Amino acid sequence: LITLAKHLGDTVNDVALNPRKSKKKYTDKKNQKFKLTLVNKCHKAIPDRIREYLHARGLTDAIINDYKLGWGEFYGKWWITIPIKDKDGNFVFLKLRRDPNSKDEDGKYRFYPTGSESTIYGWDMFRGNDDMIVICEGEFDSILLSNIGVPTITSTAGAGTFKEEWVEYLTKLRKVYICFDKDEAG
């Protein structure tokens, strides 16, 4: 129904079509404590070899701590965890990055919980910013650029995903730079 409405040029309140979505908003605050607990648990569990991998990617211990990067077992495998926040700064899900030593070719990234919807990583970069922003391809790139003072965002679903409703946030800026990886997806 939503796709049809958009095709016809109508705007549709997504919650009105799916009342179950509205319940999530009311229970989200209740689940926030659980999510923060999970984020902290994963952050404390980073083994030295993963910390060394992150260091090799340019992420210092201070950055790892600030962004609460972590390590956890999900879906029967071990993953680097990247906590994802919503526009209000609340943790909404974990983006999981495959163990760099894994020989498994079955997906480099996943979301926990399953069914989490892609969003912008770096919503806070819009606050008080009317000048410029860089759209990059991944969370680690976004973290690195943000830490040297470059306001940066990325889609949690990679270079191929950018939702139409995100454009309104970009129209308030004087300059938008796109800086994707030099590969097929980018």
Side-chain angles (χ1 to χ4, degrees):
L1 289 174
I2 293 169
T3 303
L4 177 60
K6 283 182 181 180
H7 177 73
L8 296 172
D10 293 336
T11 56
V12 177
N13 180 345
D14 194 25
V15 174
L17 291 175
N18 188 351
R20 286 181 285 170
K21 284 193 176 186
S22 64
K23 289 181 185 174
K24 186 175 188 246
K25 289 198 182 269
Y26 298 114
T27 60
D28 202 36
K29 288 193 188 292
K30 186 174 98 177
N31 291 330
Q32 187 63 29
K33 184 177 177 185
F34 163 77
K35 290 177 184 174
L36 182 57
T37 302
L38 180 60
V39 166
N40 287 331
K41 177 182 173 186
C42 291
H43 176 63
K44 289 177 185 175
I46 299 176
D48 289 340
R49 73 175 183 85
I50 296 301
R51 195 171 284 277
E52 288 171 19
Y53 167 79
L54 295 172
H55 290 165
R57 302 265 332 230
L59 302 168
T60 64
D61 284 328
I63 293 171
I64 292 167
N65 293 337
D66 287 347
Y67 288 85
K68 297 218 176 263
L69 300 177
W71 180 249
E73 186 177 12
F74 300 89
Y75 311 114
K77 299 177 187 173
W78 287 91
W79 305 83
I80 295 172
T81 60
I82 306 167
I84 307 298
K85 295 180 179 180
D86 63 12
K87 291 180 219 171
D88 300 321
N90 299 313
F91 292 112
V92 289
F93 63 90
L94 295 174
K95 182 166 179 183
L96 308 174
R97 188 189 193 289
R98 182 179 61 210
D99 180 345
N101 292 339
S102 175
K103 304 289 185 233
D104 187 2
E105 295 296 321
D106 185 32
K108 189 174 181 179
Y109 295 101
R110 301 249 339 239
F111 293 146
Y112 179 83
T114 301
S116 297
E117 194 171 311
S118 66
T119 189
I120 288 178
Y121 183 79
W123 281 111
D124 56 322
M125 295 293 132
F126 291 110
R127 284 191 210 106
N129 180 9
D130 63 356
D131 184 34
M132 62 85 70
I133 206 153
V134 173
I135 303 171
C136 65
E137 194 169 330
E139 291 81 9
F140 292 158
D141 294 338
S142 182
I143 290 169
L144 286 169
L145 285 169
S146 296
N147 272 280
I148 60 168
V150 178
T152 312
I153 61 169
T154 190
S155 166
T156 58
T161 302
F162 198 88
K163 295 181 179 181
E164 193 174 321
E165 61 259 27
W166 298 345
V167 173
E168 76 177 85
Y169 295 94
L170 300 175
T171 61
K172 300 171 185 171
L173 301 166
R174 291 181 337 129
K175 299 175 202 163
V176 176
Y177 297 94
I178 299 172
C179 186
F180 285 171
D181 295 346
K182 189 178 178 182
D183 59 13
E184 190 174 325

